[in-house]
Amino acid sequence: MYNRFVYVFILSLTLFFASCSSIYMPNVPATPMFQRKGEVHAAVHANIKGNVSGSGGVAVGNHIALIANGSYLDQGDNNNKNNLFKQYLIEGALGYFTHVGKEKRQTLEVYAGYGVGSSTEIDRRASTTGMMPVETRTMDFDKIFVQVNYSSTRRNKLNIFGKPRELNYGTAIRASRVAMQDFTINDLTSPTEEALFIEPLFYTRMELNRGFQLQYTNGFNFNVVENTYLKAGNAVFTLGLTYNFGGKRNKKK
């Protein structure tokens, strides 16, 4: 009952924030759920709005891991659309992972990292010759973030499509300082802004085959700093595929 209430609450908030507009779009963070040293993680996520994210990582030690993440969004040039938006973002982080709980079915990961990106937003209006740009906003930005991942594996597998399949549930929460390095409006230099985003995200994974999992992700962000352009408001809804492989299990003595 509690989990159901949480998901309904998050969905309501996500739909609310999705109606807002921002020059920053949060990406899907890497959530590798590492189990052991030497394990490698790869994932790709996308949605119908043209937002594509990819991530990779490796557990370089028994509890130490490196991750990298990138995203690209291009809403396309639709003749009937009043607003166009493009963004790319790349980031990397160093982190710590461990397993918790009596049965060690929970994974806790903590990462700290840095990223850079660029966004362009164009407001347009209809004219006798078609859609004409009214205002074009472009920013280059960097970000520093701290991220905490917590995931749990369902004790009993679920029979889906005639086969027992493992299910995982997880949460990732990031605190991201995003700062404009350069900001122009209609090619004119404009005052820069800085934001502190809190980005909670929830995901569910279903095993497809050994190492491969289907992942549904939803989340949102909010800003603790009041801004005009660099503000919260964009939600994350994606469907993705993850793959974890490699790593050697510790031999029992």
Side-chain angles (χ1 to χ4, degrees):
M1 180 66 68
Y2 172 76
N3 289 336
R4 186 175 300 175
F5 171 78
V6 170
Y7 276 97
V8 171
F9 175 71
I10 295 302
L11 178 60
S12 300
L13 284 177
T14 303
L15 293 175
F16 170 77
F17 284 114
S19 64
C20 304
S21 176
S22 173
I23 198 172
Y24 172 76
M25 169 66 76
N27 59 320
V28 179
T31 53
M33 294 172 54
F34 285 124
Q35 300 296 310
R36 61 193 67 89
K37 178 181 178 180
E39 188 175 0
V40 178
H41 166 80
V44 61
H45 308 271
N47 63 20
I48 59 176
K49 292 185 177 182
N51 191 355
V52 178
S53 295
S55 62
V58 59
V60 297
N62 292 326
H63 295 284
I64 304 300
L66 294 170
I67 58 172
N69 197 23
S71 67
Y72 180 73
L73 171 63
D74 186 353
Q75 293 184 337
D77 188 1
N78 188 313
N79 290 332
N80 298 319
K81 196 165 187 177
N82 293 325
N83 181 271
L84 302 180
F85 184 76
K86 293 182 179 181
Q87 177 182 284
Y88 79 83
L89 168 63
I90 56 175
E91 59 189 24
L94 173 67
Y96 171 87
F97 69 94
T98 189
H99 306 108
V100 297
K102 291 182 179 180
E103 300 179 15
K104 304 299 182 182
R105 291 186 297 106
Q106 290 78 36
T107 301
L108 176 67
E109 300 175 313
V110 181
Y111 295 96
Y114 176 79
V116 296
S118 179
S119 299
T120 299
E121 187 176 31
I122 303 174
D123 292 334
R124 306 192 303 177
R125 67 181 178 186
S127 70
T128 55
T129 59
M131 299 297 292
M132 300 294 294
V134 176
E135 184 173 280
T136 300
R137 299 176 291 275
T138 301
M139 75 165 178
D140 296 323
F141 63 91
D142 68 357
K143 64 182 295 186
I144 299 172
F145 66 93
V146 176
Q147 175 181 326
V148 178
N149 302 337
Y150 179 80
S151 58
S152 179
T153 301
R154 194 174 186 268
R155 178 182 289 108
N156 299 319
K157 292 187 177 182
L158 193 65
N159 285 314
I160 302 178
F161 305 123
K163 180 181 177 180
R165 301 181 188 276
E166 188 175 84
L167 288 179
N168 302 291
Y169 307 92
T171 301
I173 299 179
R174 290 198 295 182
S176 302
R177 190 281 282 159
V178 178
M180 294 178 174
Q181 298 303 305
D182 183 65
F183 182 50
T184 62
I185 300 178
N186 294 332
D187 294 326
L188 299 177
T189 301
S190 301
T192 58
E193 296 179 346
E194 183 173 318
L196 177 59
F197 293 112
I198 308 299
E199 303 171 303
L201 180 142
F202 304 86
Y203 59 91
T204 301
R205 288 179 180 169
M206 181 185 72
E207 178 186 23
L208 297 177
N209 205 342
R210 185 173 179 84
F212 285 97
Q213 292 183 314
L214 184 68
Q215 176 172 322
Y216 167 72
T217 305
N218 70 82
F220 62 94
N221 68 347
F222 58 91
N223 186 13
V224 300
V225 180
E226 184 175 353
N227 287 327
T228 302
Y229 299 102
L230 186 57
K231 56 186 179 180
N234 287 315
V236 175
F237 288 100
T238 63
L239 193 64
L241 184 67
T242 72
Y243 181 47
N244 282 40
F245 63 95
K248 294 183 179 180
R249 295 180 182 274
N250 295 327
K251 294 182 179 180
K252 294 182 179 179
K253 295 182 180 181

